[in-house]
Amino acid sequence: EIVLTQSPGTLSLSPGERATLSCRASQSVSSSYLAWYQQKPGQAPRLLIYGASSRATGIPDRFSGSGSGTDFTLTISRLEPEDFAVYYCQQYGSRTFGQGTRLEIK
Amino acid sequence: EVQLVESGGGLVQPGGSLRLSCAASGFTVSSNYMSWVRQAPGKGLEWVSVIYSGGSTYYADSVKGRFTISRHNSKNTLYLQMNSLRAEDTAVYYCAREVRSSWTFDPWGQGTLVTVSS
């Protein structure tokens, strides 16, 4: 089973700053199978990025994904107040999720 | 609009049973892969089970032999029958459609809380 490890566990930043979230796989995964989700308190997860780098419908272009093999990154170029949430990466093949990164307001 | 609405959660004693439902609109459940994903309080996401469009079913090891996923085609509804419930099954349970063109879970339902406690 592929294990996804996200870092950092918590990221404290201010609105307007750039956020870089990491997702590392225990073995190489197909970029096609790597997705990112955003979850706000009391809400279901929402799809942000699929295929490692493609934005889902309606997702602002300040969100971008990159990476290949075992290392993937979600970048939020300029944080808006509504971006503070928990972010999960997911590998479809084994239907596994990372443990999440909490993005909090500094 | 593509939408999923779960129901059936609640408080149940250890060893008890509960059946969750997930009503779909805007698409056909039986033509898609459909999954259940759960989230224990304050924890991350854990995939639980999937039913393929062809009817094959798969489960996480943590629930194998205790949970059963199924669907009712004419009601366009997904189910999760949960037996022999344990305290560690306490979680919000989400249903989600698997989109095979993008290898993602989208959309998700709003979730239903299952609490296993005496």
Side-chain angles (χ1 to χ4, degrees):
Chain A
E1 177 185 312
I2 296 175
V3 176
L4 300 178
T5 302
Q6 293 185 237
S7 60
T10 301
L11 185 57
S12 300
L13 294 170
S14 300
E17 291 192 293
R18 181 185 186 90
T20 303
L21 288 67
S22 174
C23 175
R24 178 162 290 178
S26 57
Q27 57 187 277
S28 183
V29 305
S30 168
S31 296
S32 298
Y33 284 6
L34 199 288
W36 290 91
Y37 299 83
Q38 176 193 66
Q39 187 179 34
K40 296 180 180 180
Q43 296 185 17
R46 176 177 73 144
L47 176 66
L48 291 178
I49 299 287
Y50 65 93
S53 60
S54 298
R55 278 186 300 277
T57 302
I59 301 303
D61 60 8
R62 63 180 181 274
F63 289 91
S64 63
S66 63
S68 64
T70 60
D71 290 301
F72 298 88
T73 300
L74 174 69
T75 301
I76 310 171
S77 59
R78 287 180 57 84
L79 285 166
E80 297 287 343
E82 62 267 27
D83 298 336
F84 292 91
V86 180
Y87 293 84
Y88 295 95
C89 60
Q90 175 239 331
Q91 193 271 339
Y92 182 83
S94 55
R95 296 183 171 90
T96 52
F97 295 87
Q99 83 280 15
T101 289
R102 180 177 305 276
L103 178 56
E104 64 177 26
I105 299 177
K106 186 174 182 179
Chain B
E1 180 189 6
V2 174
Q3 191 174 13
L4 295 166
V5 178
E6 299 98 335
S7 60
L11 175 63
V12 61
Q13 292 188 338
S17 298
L18 210 56
R19 189 179 81 158
L20 306 182
S21 299
C22 169
S25 56
F27 71 100
T28 302
V29 165
S30 61
S31 299
N32 286 270
Y33 287 20
M34 298 294 297
S35 268
W36 288 95
V37 177
R38 69 184 179 182
Q39 185 171 36
K43 302 298 184 181
L45 301 167
E46 178 190 18
W47 173 77
V48 172
S49 180
V50 63
I51 183 167
Y52 288 176
S53 51
S56 298
T57 59
Y58 299 91
Y59 301 90
D61 288 344
S62 57
V63 306
K64 200 173 296 182
R66 301 187 298 123
F67 289 11
T68 302
I69 191 171
S70 64
R71 66 191 181 210
H72 193 300
N73 293 347
S74 63
K75 293 184 178 180
N76 208 31
T77 298
L78 177 74
Y79 301 102
L80 186 68
Q81 177 67 43
M82 304 185 295
N83 298 332
S84 302
L85 283 162
R86 306 166 180 168
E88 54 265 36
D89 295 319
T90 294
V92 174
Y93 285 74
Y94 298 99
C95 61
R97 181 182 65 175
E98 296 192 9
V99 182
R100 289 177 53 77
S101 59
S102 60
W103 307 108
T104 58
F105 293 79
D106 186 47
W108 299 59
Q110 85 287 353
T112 188
L113 176 62
V114 173
T115 304
V116 184
S117 175
S118 55

